[in-house]
Amino acid sequence: MITVILNGYKRGDHLNEQLEALRNQTLPPDEILVWYNNPGDNDLINYDIGTEVPVAYCNYNFGVWARFYFAMNAKNPYVCVFDDDTIPGKKWLENCMNTMNEKEGLLGTVGLLYLNPLPPEHSSYYEHYLRFGWPE
């Protein structure tokens, strides 16, 4: 039901810790994929994750949004994309699914509840919101 996309970029040293945290979820993901953006000198082979889950290496830095495009390869209706320095707690995916069952939304490690829809021409995405969850 859940696909997790891990993102590697200059901080691949967290990937093994992320994988272990995903294995220990109370609601484990059905699929884990890794998007490795412009690895350069940082090689996933050093972290052995490439032998356990599918890894897409990109030799160019397409920026932060490329991992979301890569998520189109997910086989499941729910997709969770983690930054390369985010380690989920044991109930992270379970809590996300419980929240989605109550009210669907786009969930993140920092909660933002937007108070007013912003027009497309608006230059800032982080205005008119309430912040909750992870500390500032």
Side-chain angles (χ1 to χ4, degrees), residues 81-101:
V81 179
F82 285 109
D83 260 345
D84 52 3
D85 62 350
T86 301
I87 311 300
K90 287 185 177 189
K91 290 189 170 190
W92 175 261
L93 295 175
E94 178 184 348
N95 287 334
C96 286
M97 287 305 298
N98 289 339
T99 299
M100 291 296 285
N101 288 332

Side-chain angles (χ1 to χ4, degrees), residues 37-116:
N37 200 26
N38 194 29
D41 293 336
N42 299 317
D43 192 354
L44 278 178
I45 295 170
N46 296 333
Y47 307 108
D48 298 324
I49 196 168
T51 60
E52 298 180 44
V53 297
V55 178
Y57 290 91
C58 181
N59 65 354
Y60 181 79
N61 182 3
F62 283 104
V64 67
W65 301 112
R67 60 190 163 171
F68 297 104
Y69 287 111
F70 177 63
M72 293 174 65
N73 293 291
K75 296 178 181 174
N76 294 298
Y78 296 100
V79 177
C80 182
V81 179
F82 285 109
D83 260 345
D84 52 3
D85 62 350
T86 301
I87 311 300
K90 287 185 177 189
K91 290 189 170 190
W92 175 261
L93 295 175
E94 178 184 348
N95 287 334
C96 286
M97 287 305 298
N98 289 339
T99 299
M100 291 296 285
N101 288 332
E102 290 178 27
K103 174 132 176 95
E104 290 187 358
L106 178 61
L107 308 176
T109 55
V110 174
L112 297 178
L113 176 62
Y114 291 98
L115 302 175
N116 296 311

